[in-house]
């Protein structure tokens, strides 16, 4: 098991303690900044997370997804307006 403390940059900041199992790990193709550590995309299956913390994390993820969709829509509308 992997014990994690997730620190999410949000307002207010979220700190979530949980446990999980790594199910996927892939190194980013992009080279790290000079002298910086290599970076990885890691998929985790959560195995132990309190219900309230789970709901806070889901709320944050949906909020971020809505923002990404708004940004994409605005970019599409901006591109079609310039044609």
């Amino acid at each position: 098991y992997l014990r994690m403390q997730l620190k999410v940059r949000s307002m207010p900041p979220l700190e979530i303690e949980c446990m999980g199992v790594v199910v996927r790990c892939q190194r980013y193709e992009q080279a790290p900044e000079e002298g910086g550590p290599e970076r990885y995309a890691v998929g985790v299956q959560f195995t132990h997370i309190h219900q309230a913390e789970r709901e806070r994390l889901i709320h944050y993820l949906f909020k971020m997804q809505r923002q990404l969709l708004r940004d994409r829509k605005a970019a599409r509308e901006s591109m079609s307006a310039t044609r």
Side-chain angles (χ1 to χ4, degrees), residues 20-74:
V21 176
V22 175
V23 294
R24 170 179 46 82
C25 184
Q26 183 176 8
R27 186 169 57 93
Y28 282 117
E29 295 293 324
Q30 173 181 330
E33 294 180 22
E34 188 174 328
E38 291 190 21
R39 299 188 63 179
Y40 294 84
V42 179
V44 175
Q45 177 182 355
F46 294 99
T47 57
H48 297 83
I49 184 169
H50 291 285
Q51 184 66 26
E53 306 250 308
R54 180 179 180 272
E55 289 174 11
R56 287 175 42 204
L57 182 58
I58 289 170
H59 176 77
Y60 170 77
L61 293 172
F62 279 145
K63 180 180 176 182
M64 295 306 298
Q65 187 176 37
R66 286 190 304 271
Q67 183 63 48
L68 286 171
L69 291 171
R70 280 193 295 270
D71 292 349
R72 284 184 192 166
K73 181 180 179 185

Side-chain angles (χ1 to χ4, degrees), residues 6-33:
L6 305 175
K7 294 183 180 186
V8 180
R9 295 180 197 160
S10 63
M11 287 308 238
L14 281 177
E15 263 190 46
I16 298 173
E17 291 193 26
C18 54
M19 291 181 69
V21 176
V22 175
V23 294
R24 170 179 46 82
C25 184
Q26 183 176 8
R27 186 169 57 93
Y28 282 117
E29 295 293 324
Q30 173 181 330
E33 294 180 22

